[in-house]
Amino acid sequence: TPAHPRCLCELILSLSLAGRSSWTLLLFVNMVSTMFFSTLLLWGLSGLMESRVAVMALVPPSPVLRRVDHRVASMSRMNRLNDNVEPSFRRRMRQSFSSKLPHMMGTKNDNAADNMRSTSLFAKRSLSKRKTPILALMFVLLRRIALAPSRAWAAAVSISVPHSPALTLGRRRILTFLRSMLSTTAVSLGNLNRQQVKRIFLVGLSIYAFMNVIESVMAHKRQKIDATSEWGRYADAPAARGMALTVTMMRLAPYTVLPVIIEKVTGKSKQSGDDYSGYNTKEEYESSKAHRLRKTAGQLFADGLLRLGPLYIKIGQILSCQENLFPDEWIGAMEKLQDRVPAKSGKAAWDLAYDACPGGKAGFHKQYTDFDDVPLAAASLGQVHKARLRSSGERVAIKIQRPRLRDIYDKDLALMKKIAKVVDSFGKAGQVGGIEQSWEGIFNDAETILYREIDYRAEAENAIRFANDFGIGLGGVAIGSTARGVDGKKLPSAAEWLRTPYTYGNLSSEKFLVMEYVPSIKVTNNAKLNEAGVTVEDREYLAEALARSYLRQFCSNGFFSTDPHPGNLGIEVFEDGRAPRMVFYDFGQACSLSGDQAGGILEVVESIIDSDAKKSVAAFSRMGVLKDNADLEKVQAKCQQNYDTGMLKVKKRKKRGSSKYSSNEDTDTTELEARIEQAGKPSNTTESTSEVKVKDTEVMGYFTLQSEYAFVARALSQMDGVGKTLDPEFDFISASAPYLVEVKGTGRYLIDEAKKRLKFVYDPDNGVLAKEMALFKSLGFDPAEITTNCRK
């Protein structure tokens, strides 16, 4: 009450500290709101008093009411009519309403003396008699406040009420009250000593911690039912997500540390692959305590990422491809983030489809039939259902977006953009591996890609472009490719070794994507692959097909999928003896490359195959990853050092005996093998190689990372993980090397190879032609100008 401003200030501070944002801001907000509702409450009380309704008759006895009784007269500023109420009349009102308390409070008394003793407003009662129906009492009070007491009601309780108009609070009265409340509050805050401030702070902090604990417990219960239930709340309150992440890390810590301690004590450990050091068999390891702890840790980590939101699921998808960074138990747990995120089914799936489909429920039933409300798969952004087109009867897969994704992205990406700016402000502290980069620039491009990912119309455009670039039509039939090689000629169709679903762009919308239904086996599902008869040679061939597809995407198409995790890749198996095909799904995240970027990547691949350090530096310059002040000689020396030590080395192509691969492998590997052998000979090394070893840190500062290459690195990283799942010896350069002739064109490839063989003639620095050109220029002739004039 205003008579106790210090208590009010302590309450306001406690409420402020229990808030989620700056307590200094909420202090003012909570104070104003508290005073506003106090004003409404006093308005209701004064209205009751005007009708001669004593509010004390509605509230159980307490010491506060004794003081209120003595202060009734002081409320004349709020109600002028109160000045005419004599003490004897107030006493009669109390006695009249006190006699009615047993009925209002739900108590029974047999005699009047008992009644007066137990229902007196100011009598002290034992705890056993204080059984007041609080909710009923609050309802009565609110009813009296909301519904202004009338003369008829006053007459019903036998109280004479002089004729007077109803009380109306004007602006002046409200402002006067608020002004007095603010001045009293300010004085009370000024009189607080250090001990009181400390006590208020500790109480507020305790309330804040208690509320967060309660909220976390309730959120955990909701997430047991639906792991995605808190995505929106975490976007609204990043502090809640931070606490959830902290709790996950705390729960994860013992399950991460204990296996290491157990293995050190027992002397048994699990190495990479199938190397079980100290364990006799795989089954013995799987029955060990260390394995069970790691398995639990992986499940906790995957569940934690799943509950945090779609962007964290994306992180888990990327990490699930890094088999060299995490134990097998963690990789297995994170694989569920690729296509087994909790989804809606039954009536919830129908409602989701109706909301997303153009035309709503009527439009959905007009276009589709046989809709399966149990999803085929579900990922971070949507879920996929089977259906049929009414017009043609073709089976289709419908991808439906989850609700509220744009709102979640707006808030999460705004927070991450601030973090990127902060990282950039640290200068060298924001470098990775010594390479300078603009995290804000990378994030801006990532933001564009991520927003396009939740617009299924953009994904439909990406999917159609991908299919056209590889020459794949409806049903997986071969059509003309729109991509061209370095020589300017169209590339052949990839329909024999690659498949992607046909996309119905005219039926798709922002949250509704319709594609051809193309069943396949997940690339990491070894059990089903074995059951389908996919051999080791088949898997090596598929890994090579994956590398071949990305060589074309990077160097010819200038457009690539940035998200080739196992959930977006499948294997189509045929029963007629044909080689299996790699299937690409989900083109929500895709990136384009400029001509110089695509050409630079191709030159880097060739320079690695040839172990040509000088060409590597030239390729880096064309890609635009070298700074203007870069020491090119030092960069070249480092490249040559890596080639000489075997850090970058191309492996020969594996021989496959089956004839089913021959139609897809029209490249002669003899020339490639000769090229690789020639690259390893000393005569191919750069003459200017220094004997002084160049450290990585000395040259990494000369590089700058453009945002497009961040997505290239991400695609290569995920592709490498999938490739090693199919072929443990997989590496992108070796697997894609046989298909350089396809990307460059046969004529261009042969000309380039001839120039390499005749290096003493065509070398741009020390070749015969270069020396002749220099000689002509020294004599005053410009060969280029002469050639141009002759052509004219």
Side-chain angles (χ1 to χ4, degrees):
T1 64
H4 296 80
R6 183 166 298 179
C7 297
L8 177 64
C9 292
E10 292 179 0
L11 174 63
I12 292 173
L13 281 174
S14 299
L15 290 174
S16 301
L17 291 170
R20 297 179 181 278
S21 185
S22 172
W23 73 269
T24 54
L25 175 62
L26 284 178
L27 170 63
F28 177 76
V29 176
N30 280 325
M31 183 169 63
V32 172
S33 62
T34 303
M35 290 188 291
F36 174 71
F37 287 111
S38 299
T39 304
L40 292 181
L41 179 61
L42 291 173
W43 179 27
L45 296 182
S46 58
L48 289 173
M49 291 171 59
E50 181 189 50
S51 301
R52 304 304 186 261
V53 180
V55 70
M56 283 74 80
L58 305 176
V59 184
S62 71
V64 176
L65 289 179
R66 298 193 195 96
R67 294 194 294 270
V68 172
D69 181 62
H70 294 295
R71 296 181 182 275
V72 169
S74 66
M75 297 182 66
S76 58
R77 287 179 300 176
M78 298 298 296
N79 187 357
R80 294 169 181 257
L81 295 175
N82 189 53
D83 294 336
N84 300 323
V85 180
E86 298 178 355
S88 59
F89 182 74
R90 292 201 303 273
R91 190 162 47 252
R92 289 201 308 274
M93 284 195 301
R94 281 202 310 275
Q95 292 172 354
S96 174
F97 281 96
S98 294
S99 65
K100 295 176 174 55
L101 274 178
H103 174 71
M104 297 176 64
M105 298 172 64
T107 60
K108 294 182 179 180
N109 294 296
D110 294 333
N111 54 70
D114 246 357
N115 195 20
M116 290 302 294
R117 282 196 302 271
S118 62
T119 60
S120 174
L121 288 173
F122 308 106
K124 292 185 177 180
R125 295 189 298 172
S126 62
L127 291 176
S128 61
K129 293 185 179 181
R130 296 181 186 177
K131 296 179 180 179
T132 306
I134 300 298
L135 293 177
L137 207 56
M138 289 179 64
F139 174 74
V140 174
L141 177 61
L142 290 174
R143 186 177 64 181
R144 297 292 183 267
I145 295 173
L147 304 175
S150 62
R151 293 172 58 86
W153 185 81
V157 294
S158 304
I159 298 177
S160 61
V161 181
H163 181 73
S164 62
L167 175 67
T168 56
L169 278 177
R171 182 183 300 175
R172 182 180 303 174
R173 183 166 295 172
I174 293 176
L175 291 176
T176 302
F177 175 77
L178 292 178
R179 197 178 298 117
S180 64
M181 179 70 76
L182 284 171
S183 61
T184 309
T185 301
V187 172
S188 300
L189 285 174
N191 293 334
L192 292 176
N193 57 37
R194 182 176 298 179
Q195 190 66 24
Q196 288 172 325
V197 172
K198 182 179 179 181
R199 188 182 302 116
I200 293 172
F201 176 77
L202 292 177
V203 170
L205 192 62
S206 301
I207 294 174
Y208 175 79
F210 178 74
M211 290 180 62
N212 276 279
V213 168
I214 295 298
E215 194 174 65
S216 298
V217 171
M218 298 302 295
H220 185 67
K221 289 182 178 179
R222 291 191 295 267
Q223 287 172 333
K224 282 186 175 180
I225 301 172
D226 181 7
T228 66
S229 63
E230 304 303 300
W231 286 7
R233 186 173 73 90
Y234 287 156
D236 295 334
R241 176 186 282 143
M243 178 168 287
L245 185 59
T246 302
V247 171
T248 300
M249 293 298 106
M250 291 174 63
R251 294 180 62 195
L252 197 61
Y255 293 99
T256 306
V257 175
L258 284 176
V260 178
I261 297 175
I262 291 173
E263 289 181 344
K264 284 189 176 296
V265 173
T266 59
K268 298 179 179 180
S269 62
K270 167 69 167 66
Q271 305 298 329
S272 60
D274 295 329
D275 183 9
Y276 299 93
S277 177
Y279 294 100
N280 296 324
T281 61
K282 179 180 179 181
E283 289 73 19
E284 182 183 351
Y285 170 71
E286 291 179 348
S287 63
S288 66
K289 185 71 173 177
H291 170 71
R292 292 197 297 272
L293 289 170
R294 284 198 179 101
K295 190 173 182 180
T296 304
Q299 292 171 349
L300 286 174
F301 185 64
D303 290 342
L305 292 176
L306 174 61
R307 294 177 177 185
L308 290 174
L311 292 181
Y312 292 83
I313 292 177
K314 290 292 180 187
I315 294 173
Q317 291 172 352
I318 296 172
L319 296 179
S320 66
C321 300
Q322 307 303 312
E323 295 185 354
N324 57 329
L325 296 181
F326 295 94
D328 295 340
E329 294 87 349
W330 287 49
I331 297 296
M334 285 188 288
E335 282 180 352
K336 76 176 184 180
L337 300 176
Q338 297 166 359
D339 54 5
R340 296 196 300 276
V341 177
K344 306 293 183 184
S345 58
K347 184 179 182 302
W350 283 100
D351 293 340
L352 206 62
Y354 293 154
D355 292 340
C357 180
K361 183 177 180 179
F364 182 86
H365 288 290
K366 182 179 179 181
Q367 290 284 355
Y368 311 101
T369 185
D370 296 341
F371 178 76
D372 187 355
D373 57 20
V374 178
L376 288 169
S380 57
L381 305 183
Q383 54 191 60
V384 181
H385 297 261
K386 285 191 298 184
R388 286 187 184 274
L389 294 177
R390 283 190 181 274
S391 57
S392 61
E394 295 176 1
R395 297 175 71 188
V396 294
I398 301 175
K399 186 176 179 180
I400 307 171
Q401 190 176 115
R402 295 180 182 273
R404 207 190 157 187
L405 276 182
R406 184 167 292 277
D407 181 39
I408 293 173
Y409 268 35
D410 287 343
K411 294 171 180 176
D412 283 353
L413 293 176
L415 177 63
M416 292 186 176
K417 182 178 288 186
K418 293 178 182 177
I419 295 174
K421 289 182 179 179
V422 171
V423 173
D424 278 343
S425 67
F426 284 102
K428 290 187 176 180
Q431 295 181 359
V432 175
I435 300 177
E436 182 180 315
Q437 56 222 322
S438 170
W439 285 105
E440 187 177 359
I442 292 172
F443 178 82
N444 288 335
D445 286 339
E447 185 179 32
T448 302
I449 290 176
L450 289 170
Y451 272 117
R452 283 179 62 84
E453 188 179 17
I454 60 174
D455 186 347
Y456 286 168
R457 293 168 298 188
E459 181 174 348
E461 293 175 3
N462 293 340
I464 292 170
R465 178 176 176 180
F466 183 91
N468 290 337
D469 283 345
F470 283 98
I472 302 170
L474 179 63
V477 299
I479 60 174
S481 170
T482 57
R484 296 181 180 272
V486 178
D487 61 354
K489 296 180 181 179
K490 287 187 176 182
L491 296 177
S493 171
E496 289 188 12
W497 50 273
L498 192 69
R499 178 78 187 272
T500 187
Y502 179 83
T503 301
Y504 297 86
N506 59 321
L507 299 178
S508 301
S509 66
E510 182 181 1
K511 299 180 179 180
F512 197 83
L513 181 64
V514 184
M515 305 164 287
E516 175 189 9
Y517 175 62
V518 180
S520 64
I521 302 172
K522 191 175 179 179
V523 292
T524 55
N525 194 336
N526 291 321
K528 283 192 175 182
L529 290 175
N530 292 334
E531 185 180 342
V534 179
T535 64
V536 174
E537 280 193 344
D538 287 337
R539 300 181 197 198
E540 292 173 353
Y541 164 75
L542 289 165
E544 194 172 284
L546 180 63
R548 180 183 184 181
S549 69
Y550 266 93
L551 181 69
R552 284 182 58 161
Q553 290 179 68
F554 289 148
C555 304
S556 296
N557 304 353
F559 175 81
F560 65 97
S561 169
T562 67
D563 205 19
H565 63 74
N568 291 340
L569 298 171
I571 295 174
E572 186 180 22
V573 181
F574 302 99
E575 297 181 356
D576 57 3
R578 284 184 291 166
R581 287 193 292 194
M582 179 66 69
V583 184
F584 273 76
Y585 302 102
D586 195 341
F587 300 94
Q589 291 192 29
C591 184
S592 297
L593 297 171
S594 67
D596 281 338
Q597 289 173 333
I601 292 174
L602 179 60
E603 289 180 5
V604 167
V605 172
E606 286 197 280
S607 67
I608 294 174
I609 294 173
D610 296 332
S611 298
D612 190 336
K614 184 183 292 185
K615 189 172 183 178
S616 296
V617 175
F620 293 151
S621 298
R622 183 177 180 184
M623 290 171 67
V625 297
L626 288 176
K627 295 181 181 179
D628 295 336
N629 62 344
D631 187 338
L632 300 183
E633 291 186 0
K634 188 172 286 188
V635 174
Q636 181 175 326
K638 181 59 184 176
C639 291
Q640 192 63 53
Q641 182 179 310
N642 290 338
Y643 294 140
D644 293 341
T645 57
M647 288 185 65
L648 293 173
K649 187 177 181 181
V650 180
K651 297 183 289 245
K652 293 183 180 181
R653 188 181 190 183
K654 295 180 180 180
K655 301 290 185 181
R656 284 186 279 270
S658 177
S659 59
K660 64 182 178 181
Y661 310 113
S662 58
S663 60
N664 302 325
E665 297 180 350
D666 53 2
T667 303
D668 186 6
T669 60
T670 306
E671 182 70 26
L672 174 67
E673 290 176 2
R675 184 175 178 179
I676 294 173
E677 289 179 0
Q678 180 68 23
K681 293 181 180 180
S683 58
N684 194 62
T685 59
T686 307
E687 294 81 355
S688 61
T689 302
S690 174
E691 295 181 358
V692 179
K693 298 296 182 183
V694 181
K695 297 180 180 179
D696 291 344
T697 54
E698 295 181 41
V699 297
M700 286 304 178
Y702 299 136
F703 287 84
T704 179
L705 182 63
Q706 298 176 13
S707 56
E708 291 85 355
Y709 296 124
F711 297 111
V712 170
R714 175 189 172 184
L716 287 171
S717 175
Q718 294 195 44
M719 177 187 60
D720 187 70
V722 174
K724 282 184 167 56
T725 300
L726 296 169
D727 180 6
E729 298 181 6
F730 173 85
D731 76 83
F732 171 68
I733 302 296
S734 300
S736 62
Y739 303 102
L740 283 175
V741 61
E742 177 183 64
V743 170
K744 298 182 71 172
T746 305
R748 180 63 178 270
Y749 180 81
L750 292 175
I751 292 173
D752 289 346
E753 287 303 303
K755 288 181 177 180
K756 290 175 186 175
R757 299 295 174 86
L758 300 173
K759 189 176 181 180
F760 69 96
V761 177
Y762 292 101
D763 188 281
D765 296 326
N766 300 315
V768 173
L769 291 179
K771 292 178 180 178
E772 288 182 353
M773 294 279 280
L775 178 61
F776 277 114
K777 286 182 179 181
S778 65
L779 296 176
F781 296 99
D782 187 352
E785 184 180 351
I786 295 173
T787 303
T788 303
N789 292 334
C790 290
R791 286 176 177 172
K792 288 181 180 180

